Amino acid sequence: MSKNIEIKSVFKIKNVGDNVSISGWVKTFRSNRFIALNDGSCLEDIQCVINFEEIDNEILSKINTGTSLNIEGEIVKSQGKGQSIEILVKKINILGLSDPDKYPIQPKKHSFEFLRENAHLRVRTKTISSVMRIRSEVSYAIHKFFNENNFYYVHTPIITGSDAEGAGEMFKVTTLDLNKIPKDSNGEIDFTADFFSKETNLTVSGQLEAESMALGLGKVYTFGPTFRAENSNTSRHLAEFWMIEPEMAFYELDDNINLAEEFIKYIIKYVYNKCKNEIVFLSNRLIKEEQNIPKNERSELSLEERINFVINNKFVRITYTEAFEILKNSKPNKKGKFKYPLDNWGIDFQSEHERFLVEKYFKSPVVVYDYPSKIKAFYMRMNDDNKTVRAMDILFPGIGEIVGGSQREERIDVLKDRIKSLNIDEKELWWYLDLRKFGTVKHSGFGLGLERLILFITGMSNIRDVIPFPRTPKNADF
Ligand code: 4AD
Ligand code: MG
């Protein structure tokens, strides 16, 4: 008997008559005769048919949904519908028992809420395992794209002293005894007694350090976990998410947008080809799910159609001011349908505005650029109008913002003015300012939220279902 092979390979090779050894978890066990087995290597379960004479009743009595098995048998042409081959079982080794009354993942439809409570077992469902296979392929495609385009992969720190986004939404990192916090003579916390002898936090972005790397290596990217203590309990926010941040010397805003568009299309195209089965499965899942909501709320395009649309069409590009005018004069704004009405130029767009632009007005991904400086971070390059900065956000259907980026302020005087006007401590950024003192050059970059991209590709509606173990306010189980 050959050694254990993956079920995916069995389907691929399909050599009728071959003897194989496969292992996996039982999805269903019907009529004491048919086992649907899955080992995670592909979406499809393989049907294993038991010949009563060959298998002991005692063994059969131990097989339940969730049991792990090793099966030795022969590949035969399938008698049943829906599969081309199946396994005629010759021998079964029980690897691990499963109590059918207690195993949460029964062969029936479970709500995503229920599955989140069982996040340690939910990857055994077809939906979550499809999402996780796609997540893996997306990650691979990201490295592949940058590698093919001469970018260097750099690792920026996870523990940092800087607040790159200036939004103050940081998790503190400390070894101080919280019951006995040392205070200085002013009654303030004495961080000199802390591990790093200064205040530190988990990074909200690797950008500032990536800029330093780019201004020597040319083109770099980071790809790592990012932490934000924003108390947003939405279907698009995580407290721990993964971000991809390329940073390129000599790039201006246009180059930056072009790269972002090319990059996103490359990833989606790669994954669409690589994970066709999963995407078709998820597309059908979505159609079924949407049958429960009113017709006018259903997506106009299926998941596959949306994916193809993004791959094949150029993203719309408009300035903040153009977007503002469209939104201000839009029906929902005039009729008071927006929760946040738009009246004065300069306000930040909310997700309802972004989705109106993308889903109703343009029906296409939209790049909005040249935002008011007041609503953007200190590092973005000031335009000549002294009111807007060279920022760009990419907005996606069903999601809203998927990318945020900018051309960086490379002029030290302008940067110092910005830092001062935002009351940021210049001393903390001494090294960042150094980059503008020694051979400063124009440069740009952006951040793509990995989970938001996966939401788009999988058609899932909650970001908690596209990362194995989500961290959100009041939830860090597992
Ligand atoms: O727009 P953001 O805050 O940009 C930055 O952090 C820049 N430093 C990036 C850069 O220029 N290098 O975040 C970038 C992206 C967002 O567009 C979004 O996709 C994702 O990160 N993101 C989140 N994803 C999940 N949960 C959250 N709480 C997120 N916050 C941002
Ligand atoms: Mg942003």
Side-chain angles (χ1 to χ4, degrees):
M1 193 62 70
S2 60
K3 77 180 212 325
N4 202 57
I5 64 168
E6 287 173 341
I7 292 172
K8 182 181 177 166
S9 315
V10 177
F11 279 126
K12 214 179 212 161
I13 304 162
K14 280 191 211 161
N15 269 339
V16 171
D18 274 8
N19 281 313
V20 289
S21 161
I22 54 175
S23 299
W25 295 268
V26 175
K27 288 302 197 64
T28 55
F29 182 34
R30 287 186 296 117
S31 320
N32 231 12
R33 187 136 193 248
F34 303 103
I35 299 172
L37 200 70
N38 192 288
D39 64 358
S41 63
C42 58
L43 177 70
E44 298 76 22
D45 306 328
I46 196 157
Q47 168 141 290
C48 304
V49 186
I50 292 163
N51 194 338
F52 293 116
E53 281 101 79
E54 304 212 17
I55 311 294
D56 227 21
N57 241 327
E58 203 201 309
I59 289 190
L60 293 185
S61 70
K62 289 179 182 159
I63 301 175
N64 293 301
T65 305
T67 307
S68 49
L69 302 177
N70 167 257
I71 286 182
E72 295 174 11
E74 184 186 335
I75 303 180
V76 294
K77 268 220 170 77
S78 177
Q79 311 293 312
K81 287 196 299 238
Q83 68 249 342
S84 55
I85 52 157
E86 56 193 27
I87 305 291
L88 192 60
V89 178
K90 301 210 166 138
K91 191 171 168 210
I92 296 182
N93 297 309
I94 306 263
L95 302 177
L97 299 174
S98 172
D99 182 340
D101 299 325
K102 298 204 175 123
Y103 183 56
I105 313 297
Q106 293 297 320
K108 63 165 197 180
K109 195 173 155 34
H110 293 292
S111 73
F112 287 119
E113 288 78 13
F114 174 83
L115 290 176
R116 263 168 241 148
E117 287 162 15
N118 291 283
H120 58 309
L121 293 168
R122 67 177 178 168
V123 74
R124 301 206 196 158
T125 64
K126 274 195 162 33
T127 301
I128 301 293
S129 65
S130 294
V131 170
M132 293 309 153
R133 276 189 292 272
I134 288 172
R135 186 179 169 108
S136 172
E137 294 298 341
V138 169
S139 304
Y140 174 72
I142 288 164
H143 289 298
K144 187 167 151 64
F145 173 86
F146 285 125
N147 189 268
E148 285 169 4
N149 286 283
N150 303 321
F151 279 70
Y152 296 108
Y153 176 32
V154 297
H155 300 103
T156 48
I158 288 180
I159 300 174
T160 156
S162 56
D163 176 7
E165 292 305 300
E169 294 160 333
M170 296 171 303
F171 289 101
K172 296 192 165 51
V173 173
T174 182
T175 53
L176 291 178
D177 179 349
L178 296 184
N179 292 312
K180 273 186 285 174
I181 296 175
K183 299 277 172 72
D184 63 15
S185 51
N186 296 327
E188 308 268 333
I189 299 173
D190 180 13
F191 282 105
T192 61
D194 205 347
F195 188 90
F196 296 106
S197 208
K198 63 178 289 193
E199 203 174 344
T200 51
N201 45 269
L202 294 177
T203 187
V204 295
S205 159
Q207 178 197 321
L208 304 191
E209 291 89 352
E211 281 186 56
S212 145
M213 292 290 109
L215 299 177
L217 287 171
K219 294 195 292 187
V220 303
Y221 70 104
T222 72
F223 181 1
T226 312
F227 308 88
R228 297 204 182 167
E230 50 189 334
N231 204 355
S232 336
N233 242 316
T234 80
S235 56
R236 288 164 299 104
H237 286 90
L238 290 164
E240 177 179 294
F241 64 99
W242 286 65
M243 185 154 58
I244 301 96
E245 295 184 276
E247 192 69 34
M248 298 75 65
F250 318 115
Y251 269 49
E252 299 189 25
L253 188 68
D254 269 348
D255 309 314
N256 198 24
I257 298 174
N258 291 342
L259 177 78
E261 181 169 345
E262 191 192 335
F263 169 58
I264 292 175
K265 286 178 172 167
Y266 177 98
I267 307 300
I268 296 178
K269 218 183 283 179
Y270 178 88
V271 175
Y272 185 54
N273 289 328
K274 191 79 197 267
C275 304
K276 210 44 168 274
N277 289 350
E278 278 80 3
I279 288 173
V280 169
F281 171 80
L282 291 168
S283 187
N284 291 334
R285 181 201 77 80
L286 199 58
I287 291 167
K288 263 189 239 144
E289 188 182 279
E290 290 196 343
Q291 274 162 359
N292 301 322
I293 59 173
K295 263 210 175 100
N296 61 343
E297 285 172 30
R298 291 179 200 165
S299 320
E300 283 172 36
L301 300 179
S302 75
L303 178 60
E304 275 187 278
E305 285 166 336
R306 261 182 278 169
I307 287 174
N308 278 306
F309 182 88
V310 167
I311 294 172
N312 296 322
N313 288 283
K314 210 169 154 29
F315 298 179
V316 170
R317 299 183 188 192
I318 51 168
T319 63
Y320 166 90
T321 305
E322 287 164 335
F324 176 77
E325 287 302 323
I326 291 169
L327 288 164
K328 195 178 150 190
N329 298 318
S330 70
K331 254 198 204 154
N333 196 48
K334 288 187 164 160
K335 289 191 169 168
K337 289 272 162 67
F338 284 142
K339 198 169 150 213
Y340 300 89
L342 284 138
D343 32 30
N344 294 321
W345 186 94
I347 71 155
D348 205 358
F349 297 149
Q350 302 293 324
S351 141
E352 57 178 349
H353 307 132
E354 296 174 340
R355 293 184 63 170
F356 174 83
L357 284 174
V358 171
E359 289 160 32
K360 297 274 170 342
Y361 194 86
F362 288 111
K363 297 185 191 297
S364 155
V366 177
V367 187
V368 181
Y369 62 97
D370 283 352
Y371 277 85
S373 59
K374 284 216 174 72
I375 55 172
K376 289 292 182 187
F378 72 93
Y379 50 71
M380 299 190 179
R381 193 179 200 277
M382 187 62 78
N383 277 314
D384 292 341
D385 63 9
N386 248 320
K387 269 172 31 193
T388 58
V389 285
R390 304 245 79 193
M392 64 102 165
D393 278 4
I394 302 184
L395 314 178
F396 253 53
I399 290 155
E401 181 191 333
I402 196 164
V403 162
S406 68
Q407 185 172 333
R408 318 306 188 189
E409 186 56 78
E410 85 286 11
R411 301 162 296 185
I412 188 144
D413 298 343
V414 185
L415 183 59
K416 277 188 170 173
D417 282 350
R418 275 280 275 163
I419 290 175
K420 204 173 279 161
S421 73
L422 291 169
N423 288 324
I424 302 170
D425 187 2
E426 202 184 286
K427 280 200 285 313
E428 289 291 317
L429 288 168
W430 66 273
W431 61 272
Y432 189 73
L433 291 166
D434 259 8
L435 301 172
R436 278 75 182 162
K437 279 188 206 154
F438 306 117
T440 193
V441 294
K442 286 185 175 167
H443 62 288
S444 302
F446 63 84
L448 168 75
L450 177 71
E451 287 77 16
R452 297 219 181 145
L453 178 63
I454 297 173
L455 275 181
F456 175 76
I457 298 176
T458 58
M460 299 293 284
S461 47
N462 195 315
I463 200 162
R464 294 168 174 85
D465 301 326
V466 301
I467 186 165
F469 300 103
R471 270 77 183 96
T472 50
K474 302 206 187 331
N475 172 33
D477 285 342
F478 307 103

